RNA sequence: GGGCGAAUAGCUCAGUUGGUUAGAGCACCUGCCUUACACGCAGGGUGUCGGGGGUUCGAGUCCCUCUUCGCCCACCA
């Protein structure tokens, strides 16, 4: 039994409410209920983008998970068997960096500890501090199924990772490649193309002269941004069609500093238009040069080591002078430039902006490095992933990201999946030193100690897999794959929607889709919802390093989780960034806090005036006994439900399709749904601007008088508020649940979280509802007149209502009936008149033609009123000729649709009538 | 360099296939401490729809162009 209602919503009760949901099993999914395995509910599943296991909650997580929670709660209320899978990502490189720093603070490197000890240390660290974020997600109300919490490095998921690797290898889609890849000299690992992020930076273009070896004194001038790599040069390349250098092809030049001779070769790679048209070829330190070198069978001397220091690593006999040995690449660059300048080889230095790749984890400038890595052949995987979006089996919201997705997949490049890290899934490959290729490489699902061919000892590959390889399997692995019989896999795969930020569209989303098709033949979900970024008022991305972030936990402490949620959801257009002020939480979250308070106060009013005695169910209340206001609010509720449903759209695609996915989005619904802010706004509009502002106000008198009418009012009010709480629950689950528990007649033990989504009652508003709408118009008109004429708020005024002629039902009768309401809502004494009163008066004409007249004698400054009326006339005098001109245009009348022309005529007529009335009024009031 | 998108109120954004007098939230201004709520109530739109040109009876909407901004991709050393 809930405690008596406090004056203020106490959000300190949120954890208890959350606990009640968990204890009721409200978030726990039941695979046997899924229609896919013979149950009676359509499944709806979301896999949570697993936060890094060491992460703590920031606004980005808050936004991401609130969106998911809104969708999950909505789906659950719609009757779906809802599953939201939570979990964390071991985040190989990120977590390893964190622990390395920890170890460094103790004066050690990971190499001091050794692999085994370091991994153990990391495991301990994760066990102790990891998963904090999952606790925090509970605080924001995330209705995830915690009985299924997953972790990318768990034994179960590791099985999936290994299975995936082996299957891809067996299909020939994983291969060992010897090539130049991105290398982070700080993290000491290779990176994928996606992990090496471009950054446009000002740089220099150095022009260096390479003299011909024939002693002719001629030379070739090359342009380079990275002179330090010249120690590894093996050739100069010119374009075969470049007449300037044709005669030099095949000649030798002398490599400055090193002093050896290298050939001039012809290759299309050299662009005659760039720089001098001559490019130096350094196969070991540039991915393009490596390709050129391969074409020309050139050597690959390595002159920069894994730390980014100059050193003779391989095939580099005496290329690195002693004075450069061991120098960092950037220090070496300066030194080399000096040496070139001293020798006269340096021709000039130009400023040159170019894109430099940085490590996405530590921001170190990436060094291209020649190494052996495992790659996934992407093109065959990309094909179905592309087709899925083209067919509409998958939609990406907002729509514009589909083009980005398609573009990337169309030009996809192979994926480097091996990392020279210790934290992660070890590559399931073993090497036998005794066997000959190809038997010396064994890929295995099980750990091996001896070679299956010769029986001697084998050693496992030292590398681990890219973190994104395991997260790419997330929708599969968390549901039990590769066990095809796993109940969750059968019941919930494919899942439904994926909610994430666009930054990881390629890192993660595209790869999940590709792997989903590869291993299950189906897309992992039908909807990808990409949301915006949390930014500060200067539109800078919120980040730890900038110190402009907002801690969601602070917001929850100050205003409660609902305030946070409402602010994020209601203030966010699809895919648009959320702008918040980290220096003014009060202002930033006022919307959410205020809305929660408003809801609470509606609840207080209701409980105070309606009482705790059960109400008659609405279905048993005779429509005839309802007032116009009752019918009006019920029709507004229907409209609100329809608006919410429209904004949210269908839960899943409904059009059957021959593809493996079975269903595709039809064009009309493809980009229509999940407009969460529109949904929130529609619900807010109803509960605040209609239920509270009008219905509640109109009810005050009725609730004070015992009797049959009071009972009707109680039923309608409780019904309408109950439905409103349901509509709002997905966004503000805590406050709605607390209020719902206290509704009169509430059945003990039932929870709003498991209640059903509202359904509209009637197709069209009844006449009584429309009549209340007219009354509302009168009130609005009177308020406006009061405001325009600065009538003191406390002042009672007389309002004269002149019904329009020819109305089907005498509006006078209707208005008479509602006069008590009008009077109370406007502080006025209305009366009905057949004729307009004489003397100065303010008029308003309602949509049906009914006139509202407020005699102004003694109320207002007549001069001011005259000025206002004259202004109105002038405005109309301006608009009328424009419209007349249009109607006099023969082509317009002839070609525009008849209804447009007709309404145009009507408007013109109305304007003229209104002008005439105003002119008449000005004459009588002001005498001119 | 290629591609995509955006430009509408002070801010964040809606604005369906061209069609009546361009909307919402927040902010702001005015007046109210009316017994659910000042975290509230009532009233108020503050706009050459980025500039220019075109198509059309009619353009915020379609076309061209210019300007500015954002995002994604990319091997000009």
């Amino acid at each position: 039994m809930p405690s008596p209602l406090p004056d203020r919503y106490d959000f300190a009760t949120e954890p208890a409410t959350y606990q009640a949901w968990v204890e009721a099993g409200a978030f726990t999914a039941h695979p046997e209920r899924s229609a896919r395995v013979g149950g009676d509910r359509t499944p709806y599943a979301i896999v949570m983008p697993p936060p890094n296991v060491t992460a703590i909650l920031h606004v980005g997580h808050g936004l991401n998970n609130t969106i998911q929670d809104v969708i999950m709660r909505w789906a659950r209320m719609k009757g779906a068997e809802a599953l939201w899978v939570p979990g964390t990502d071991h985040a190989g490189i990120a977590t390893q960096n964190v622990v390395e720093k920890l170890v460094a603070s103790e004066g050690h490197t990971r190499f001091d500890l050794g692999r085994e000890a370091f991994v153990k240390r990391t495991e301990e660290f994760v066990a102790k501090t990891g998963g904090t974020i999952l606790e925090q997600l509970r605080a924001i109300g995330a209705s995830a199924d915690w009985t299924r919490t997953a972790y990318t490095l768990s034994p179960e998921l590791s099985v999936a990772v290994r299975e995936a690797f082996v299957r891809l290898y067996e299909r020939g889609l994983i291969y060992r490649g010897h090539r130049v890849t991105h290398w982070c000299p700080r993290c000491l690992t290779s990176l994928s193309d996606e992990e090496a992020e471009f950054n446009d930076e000002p740089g220099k273009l150095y022009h260096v002269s390479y003299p011909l070896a024939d002693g002719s004194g001629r030379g070739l001038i090359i342009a380079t941004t990275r002179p330090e790599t010249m120690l590894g040069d093996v050739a100069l390349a010119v374009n075969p069609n470049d007449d300037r250098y044709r005669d030099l092809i095949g000649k030798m030049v002398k490599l400055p500093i090193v002093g050896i001779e290298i050939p001039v070769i012809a290759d299309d790679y050299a662009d005659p238009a760039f720089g001098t048209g001559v490019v130096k070829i350094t196969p070991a330190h540039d991915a393009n040069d490596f390709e050129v070198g391969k074409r020309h069978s050139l050597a690959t001397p390595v002159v920069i080591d894994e730390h980014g220091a100059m050193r003779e690593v391989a095939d580099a006999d005496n290329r690195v002078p002693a004075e450069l040995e061991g120098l960092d690449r950037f220090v070496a660059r300066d030194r080399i430039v000096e040496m070139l300048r001293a020798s006269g080889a340096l021709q000039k230095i130009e400023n040159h902006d170019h894109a430099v790749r940085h490590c996405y984890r530590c921001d170190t400038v990436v060094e291209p490095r020649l190494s052996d890595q495992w790659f996934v052949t992407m093109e065959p995987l990309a094909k179905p992933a592309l087709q899925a979006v083209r067919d509409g089996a998958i939609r990406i919201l907002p729509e514009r990201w589909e083009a980005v997705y398609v573009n990337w997949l169309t030009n996809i490049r192979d994926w480097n999946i091996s990392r020279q890290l210790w934290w992660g899934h070890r590559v399931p490959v073993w090497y036998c030193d005794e066997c000959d290729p190809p038997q010396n490489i064994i890929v295995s699902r099980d750990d091996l100690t001896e070679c299956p061919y010769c029986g001697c000892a084998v050693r496992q590959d030292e590398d681990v897999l890219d973190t994104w390889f395991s997260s790419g399997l997330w929708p599969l692995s968390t549901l039990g794959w590769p066990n095809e019989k796993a109940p969750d896999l059968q019941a919930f795969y494919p899942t439904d929607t994926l909610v994430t930020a666009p930054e990881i569209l390629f890192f993660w989303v595209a790869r999940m889709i590709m792997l989903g098709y590869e291993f299950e033949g189906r897309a992992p979900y039908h909807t990808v919802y990409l949301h915006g970024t949390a930014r500060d008022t200067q539109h800078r991305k919120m980040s730890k390093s900038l110190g402009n972030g907002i801690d969601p936990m602070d917001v929850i402490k100050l205003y409660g989780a609902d305030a946070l949620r409402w602010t994020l959801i209601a203030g966010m257009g699809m895919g648009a960034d959320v702008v918040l002020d980290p220096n003014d939480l009060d202002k930033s979250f006022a919307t959410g806090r205020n809305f929660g308070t408003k809801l609470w106060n509606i609840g207080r009013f209701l409980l105070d005036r309606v009482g705790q005695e059960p109400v008659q169910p609405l279905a048993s209340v005779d429509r005839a006994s309802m007032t116009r206001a009752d019918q009006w609010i019920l029709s507004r509720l229907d409209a609100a439900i329809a608006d919410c449903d429209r904004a949210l759209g269908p839960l899943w695609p409904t059009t059957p399709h021959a593809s493996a996915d079975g269903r595709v989005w039809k064009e009309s619904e493809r980009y229509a749904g999940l407009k969460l802010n529109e949904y929130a706004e529609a619900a807010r509009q109803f509960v605040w601007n209609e239920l509270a502002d009008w219905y509640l106000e109109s009810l005050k008198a009725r609730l004070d008088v015992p009797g049959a009418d009071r009972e009707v009012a109680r039923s309608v009010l409780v019904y309408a508020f109950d439905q409103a709480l349901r509509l709002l629950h997905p966004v503000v689950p805590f406050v709605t649940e607390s209020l719902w528990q206290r509704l009169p007649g509430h059945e003990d033990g039932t929870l709003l979280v498991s209640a059903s989504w509202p359904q509209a009652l009637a197709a069209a508003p009844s006449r009584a509802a429309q009549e209340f709408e007219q009354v509302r118009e009168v009130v609005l008109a009177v308020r406006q007149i009061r405001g325009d004429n600065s009538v003191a708020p406390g002042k009672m005024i007389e309002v004269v209502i002149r019904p329009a002629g020819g109305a089907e039902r005498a509006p006078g009768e209707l208005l008479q009936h509602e006069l008590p309401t009008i009077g109370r809502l406007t502080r006025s004494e209305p009366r009905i008149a057949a004729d307009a009163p004489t003397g100065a008066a303010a008029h308003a004409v309602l949509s049906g033609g009914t006139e509202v007249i407020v005699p102004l004698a003694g109320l207002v400054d007549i001069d001011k009123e005259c000025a206002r009326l004259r202004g109105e006339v002038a405005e109309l005098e301006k608009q009328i000729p424009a419209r007349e001109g249009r109607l006099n245009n023969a082509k317009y009348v002839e070609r525009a649709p008849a209804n447009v022309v007709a309404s145009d005529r009507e408007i013109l007529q109305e304007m003229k009538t209104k002008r005439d009335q105003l002119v008449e009024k000005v004459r009588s009031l002001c005498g001119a």
Side-chain angles (χ1 to χ4, degrees), chain A residues 304-480:
Chain A
I304 302 175
D305 69 12
E306 73 262 36
H307 299 285
M310 307 309 294
R311 206 178 297 282
E312 289 177 6
V313 179
D315 307 322
D317 306 314
N318 296 321
R319 280 173 171 264
V320 181
E323 55 188 308
L324 295 174
E325 178 90 24
L327 287 185
D328 177 78
R329 52 200 164 140
F330 297 115
V331 177
R333 176 181 301 175
D334 293 342
R335 199 68 62 84
I336 285 172
V337 169
E338 276 320 307
M339 292 166 78
L340 291 171
R341 195 194 305 275
S343 71
L346 183 68
Q347 298 294 309
K348 63 171 171 176
I349 303 175
E350 287 178 332
N351 287 324
H352 177 71
D353 293 350
H354 62 147
V356 178
R357 288 197 187 250
H358 292 248
C359 172
Y360 83 134
R361 275 298 149 198
C362 71
D363 206 39
T364 303
V365 174
V366 162
E367 185 64 35
R369 183 163 192 254
L370 184 61
S371 58
D372 291 310
Q373 306 288 343
W374 291 99
F375 290 89
V376 179
T377 309
M378 297 305 275
E379 211 211 315
L381 295 172
K383 259 191 195 143
L386 264 173
Q387 202 55 38
V389 167
R390 291 191 172 132
D391 289 347
I394 299 175
R395 61 172 178 174
I396 301 178
L397 303 173
E399 188 183 354
R400 63 173 179 274
W401 288 104
E402 284 187 358
V404 176
Y405 173 91
V406 166
N407 183 43
W408 186 75
L409 282 181
T410 311
N411 304 304
I412 196 157
R413 302 162 64 188
D414 286 356
W415 174 17
N416 169 17
I417 51 167
S418 46
R419 297 288 175 276
Q420 289 64 51
L421 302 170
W422 289 348
W423 182 241
H425 299 98
R426 193 118 173 225
V427 172
V429 173
W430 286 262
Y431 301 96
C432 173
D433 295 327
E434 302 301 317
C435 288
D436 293 322
Q439 292 182 353
N440 62 333
I441 293 178
I442 309 119
V443 174
S444 168
R445 289 175 176 82
D446 304 310
D447 284 343
L448 294 183
T449 49
E450 55 187 48
C451 175
Y453 302 105
C454 71
C456 56
V458 289
R459 56 187 167 83
Q460 186 172 5
D461 194 300
E462 295 292 323
D463 292 350
V464 300
L465 291 166
D466 182 1
T467 283
W468 299 98
F469 187 87
S470 52
S471 43
L473 297 166
W474 191 245
L476 291 162
S477 56
T478 56
L479 295 178

Side-chain angles (χ1 to χ4, degrees), chain A residues 582-756:
Chain A
N583 298 315
D584 193 348
L585 296 185
D586 218 45
K587 188 179 167 194
S588 293
F589 295 94
T591 342
R593 182 200 56 183
N594 295 355
F595 182 62
T597 307
K598 184 69 182 182
L599 267 186
W600 190 252
N601 281 314
I602 294 170
R604 281 176 64 208
F605 170 88
L606 185 145
L607 292 174
D608 182 46
R609 302 298 189 85
V610 168
Q612 276 297 323
E613 315 82 57
V615 299
Q616 284 183 73
L618 189 76
S620 70
V621 176
D622 185 3
R623 278 244 156 200
S625 66
M626 291 184 193
T627 64
R628 293 184 179 84
D630 294 334
Q631 302 212 33
W632 177 80
I633 196 61
L634 292 176
S635 80
R636 293 320 302 157
L637 173 63
D638 279 1
I641 295 168
D643 287 346
C644 290
D645 282 342
R646 196 176 311 116
L648 288 166
L651 273 165
W652 36 65
T654 53
T655 309
H657 188 263
S659 78
D661 296 274
R663 297 172 302 187
V664 295
W665 290 101
K666 59 180 164 199
E667 279 310 307
S668 62
E669 61 189 25
R670 183 163 181 172
Y671 305 110
L674 296 182
K675 308 227 161 116
L676 303 186
N677 58 323
E678 288 179 21
Y679 141 64
E681 173 56 19
R684 190 200 71 88
Q685 189 93 28
F686 171 71
V687 74
W688 197 321
N689 300 122
E690 296 176 334
L691 185 73
D693 288 351
W694 288 92
Y695 186 61
L696 241 50
E697 292 299 331
S698 83
L699 230 51
K700 284 180 173 168
R702 292 169 69 196
L703 288 174
D704 290 340
V705 184
D709 184 55
R710 178 170 189 271
E711 290 313 306
V712 173
R714 289 178 75 236
S715 287
V716 176
L717 176 56
V718 170
Y719 177 80
F721 193 50
D722 174 352
Q723 297 290 299
L725 291 175
R726 290 172 198 243
L727 283 180
L728 288 163
H729 180 260
V731 191
V732 281
F734 292 107
V735 66
T736 49
E737 182 74 76
S738 322
L739 288 169
W740 200 75
Q741 294 297 320
R742 295 172 156 103
L743 286 179
H746 172 258
E747 196 182 319
D748 254 0
T750 59
L751 293 167
L752 179 55
V753 69
S754 311
S756 64

